[in-house]
Amino acid sequence: MSINQAAWEQTELLELNRAAGIHPVELSDESLQVLQTGITIGELTNGAFDVSIAPLVLLWMVTGSSPMVPAPEAIKEAQALIDFRKIEISGNQVYLPEPGMGIDLGGIAKGYAAGEAARILRQAGVNHAILDFGGDVVTVGTRPDGNPWRIGLQDPAQRRGSLMGIVQAEDISIVTSGVYERYFEQDGQIFHHIIDTETGYPTDNSLLSVTVVSKDPVVGDALSTGAFVMGLREGYELLEELDDVEGVFIDDQNRVYLTSGLQANFRLLGSDYVLSCTEDIGDCADEE
Ligand code: AMP
Ligand code: MG
């Protein structure tokens, strides 16, 4: 799991996962809150984002030392254990009712860490800051000169640090889920770390990345992973529907789709990508 995960998660979640099918485990308020946000986003994304993804994540071990494509039967078995709706919560007691079930907050933990860091800075009286947690960016206030912060978006086809666009915003969180973040190659094929709960395999739907721009980095982190798994059509629809949530979708044909609230605050860099639209997705005003 990610190095950004806080200590509470290392211990409490491991204990919870070990106790699956045996007994409930008492979680701290912080863990419970992140878990519950994860469950809410699970409902919003209709299970595309699922905090109980651990059995599949462990099986694929994309970040392990010698990752391999698992056997189809093993994938089926792991898949059968995944269903966030089965998680039982009573107060701070959490129970995973089936042996082998497990929680993985890898898709949401970085957002939590970024949000906590911003909260601590604000509490300490800091009025202007930009925090970059490796692709997950949180800003506090405006720039010191009063202008909004300008946040660069990673070009999913280029090495880390190459930007394809800029978002301008204040007091905002900008979280990206992309195929380039963690993956391995087998027989010339890329296997990345964002798992499609419906197939049990890395999500394969023409998207290269989804960026979510929102107030709450925890929600933004879960939604970026969830919208990525949902795909362009459904993912876009969901982000468009939610208040105070915007998104940037990039597909493997170099097309960029912006939700409507972002169109005034986004600028493309370079000429590799085109702002696109199809039916009710994206903005084609520039082409008219
Ligand atoms: P992110 O980079 O925020 O999109 O998170 C990816 C991480 O979330 C993976 O490394 C897994 O730990 C976890 N994950 C993968 N697929 C899913 C999924 N469908 N739902 C929830 N978490 C997932
Ligand atoms: Mg995420």
Side-chain angles (χ1 to χ4, degrees):
M1 298 212 274
S2 144
I3 48 160
N4 293 300
Q5 278 167 318
W8 51 260
E9 201 182 329
Q10 301 288 346
T11 50
E12 288 187 19
L13 279 195
L14 281 181
E15 200 190 326
L16 175 64
N17 291 353
R18 270 195 228 109
I22 309 171
H23 59 81
V25 167
E26 168 119 358
L27 295 190
S28 63
D29 292 342
E30 293 96 313
S31 320
L32 190 69
Q33 196 196 322
V34 179
L35 178 64
Q36 268 165 335
T37 305
I39 290 173
T40 304
I41 302 301
E43 278 155 6
L44 271 180
T45 61
N46 212 0
F49 183 82
D50 194 322
V51 286
S52 71
I53 194 95
L56 275 173
V57 170
L58 290 173
L59 185 67
W60 277 93
M61 273 299 211
V62 170
T63 50
S65 53
S66 49
M68 278 194 319
V69 177
E73 308 79 60
I75 291 178
K76 269 216 181 83
E77 261 171 51
Q79 223 184 337
L81 289 165
I82 288 153
D83 185 356
F84 71 92
R85 293 180 180 90
K86 290 185 181 155
I87 302 169
E88 295 171 20
I89 301 179
S90 160
N92 282 47
Q93 298 279 327
V94 180
Y95 182 51
L96 307 177
E98 286 173 32
M101 276 184 85
I103 304 294
D104 172 51
L105 297 180
I108 193 171
K110 226 195 239 185
Y112 175 75
E116 280 301 284
R119 188 181 61 78
I120 290 163
L121 285 182
R122 282 196 184 94
Q123 233 170 30
V126 172
N127 295 319
H128 314 281
I130 183 162
L131 306 169
D132 187 345
F133 281 66
D136 292 18
V137 176
V138 177
T139 67
V140 174
T142 59
R143 293 196 320 199
D145 65 8
N147 289 314
W149 288 105
R150 298 165 42 155
I151 302 102
L153 298 197
Q154 172 68 35
D155 181 339
Q158 298 293 329
R159 63 186 161 69
R160 218 168 254 281
S162 304
L163 306 180
M164 53 67 65
I166 301 267
V167 172
Q168 284 205 51
E170 42 195 85
D171 281 310
I172 206 79
S173 122
I174 301 194
V175 181
T176 301
S177 287
V179 296
Y180 55 85
E181 284 177 342
R182 272 169 269 158
Y183 61 86
F184 66 90
E185 235 180 295
Q186 187 174 317
D187 305 325
Q189 224 186 317
I190 297 283
F191 296 90
H192 62 81
H193 68 308
I194 306 170
I195 313 269
D196 185 339
T197 42
E198 272 182 16
T199 63
Y201 285 79
T203 305
D204 182 11
N205 63 14
S206 86
L207 288 178
L208 295 185
S209 72
V210 175
T211 299
V212 172
V213 180
S214 66
K215 288 285 174 199
D216 181 342
V218 184
V219 169
D221 196 354
L223 275 178
S224 72
T225 310
F228 186 94
V229 174
M230 290 172 96
L232 176 62
R233 189 156 296 280
E234 277 183 59
Y236 185 95
E237 225 168 77
L238 174 65
L239 299 194
E240 195 68 312
E241 217 175 86
L242 294 172
D243 289 338
D244 298 325
V245 173
E246 303 298 334
V248 182
F249 293 73
I250 305 179
D251 76 5
D252 56 8
Q253 304 298 313
N254 293 351
R255 290 181 292 228
V256 178
Y257 300 89
L258 306 176
T259 56
S260 49
L262 205 58
Q263 282 155 10
N265 304 318
F266 178 88
R267 191 159 58 82
L268 264 185
L269 296 175
S271 53
D272 288 353
Y273 291 89
V274 224
L275 287 179
S276 303
C277 61
T278 118
E279 293 167 40
D280 43 4
I281 297 175
D283 172 31
C284 290
D286 291 345
E287 292 169 22
E288 279 160 14

